Amino acid sequence: MGGGVVQKSGEGMRRRRGRGRSRPMSEINVTPFVDVMLVLLIIFMVAAPLMTVGVPVELPKTAANALPGEPEEPLAITITADGTVMIQTTEVPRAEMVNKLRAIATERQSRRVYLRADGAVPYGDVVQVMGALNRGGFDNIGLVTDTGGPALDAPDG
């Protein structure tokens, strides 16, 4: 009465059922699981920085003043290829430079100055101007350069 097939064997009778059916697969297919995990990883990588930056906070009020920003643009000193010294866009003789810088320092709040020197100017001349800047009252000196120069760790070639 069942759907099985009865066969005679040497020692007795055995029933075999569902000979045409395949056995159940005992392995797990992890490909869809990995796909879902990669998508979730990407979503969290994109969303994590947004969660920390945009946190709404009610900051307390205080009577303290805000930190001062840069109230004025920094002073620019330029040494041209022929050795001419310029304060902003005005040419200044080297003998008068310290006195002019002291006068400028009394009028300015910031002690920051940018020194721009042509690459052909000898190092000694640049150092002399830096010394004059220091004597003139400017102790925050930034050297201005262009990008794209040779790197010290670059191979010869």
Side-chain angles (χ1 to χ4, degrees), residues 57-80:
V57 175
E58 184 70 32
L59 296 175
K61 307 288 188 243
T62 181
N65 294 329
L67 289 175
E70 193 67 37
E72 55 198 357
E73 71 179 51
L75 186 64
I77 308 295
T78 306
I79 307 171
T80 61

Side-chain angles (χ1 to χ4, degrees), residues 22-30:
S22 63
R23 300 180 72 194
M25 188 170 65
S26 63
E27 299 173 0
I28 298 173
N29 187 2
V30 295

Side-chain angles (χ1 to χ4, degrees), residues 7 11 20 39 46 90 129:
Q7 288 185 336
E11 294 187 9
V39 169
V46 171
T90 307
V129 172

Side-chain angles (χ1 to χ4, degrees), residues 114-151:
Y114 290 143
L115 179 59
R116 301 172 62 228
D118 192 278
V121 175
Y123 179 71
D125 291 350
V126 175
V127 172
Q128 287 177 353
V129 172
M130 289 176 71
L133 287 169
N134 194 310
R135 283 193 315 269
F138 293 95
D139 54 2
N140 189 350
I141 302 170
L143 300 175
V144 179
T145 61
D146 278 336
T147 59

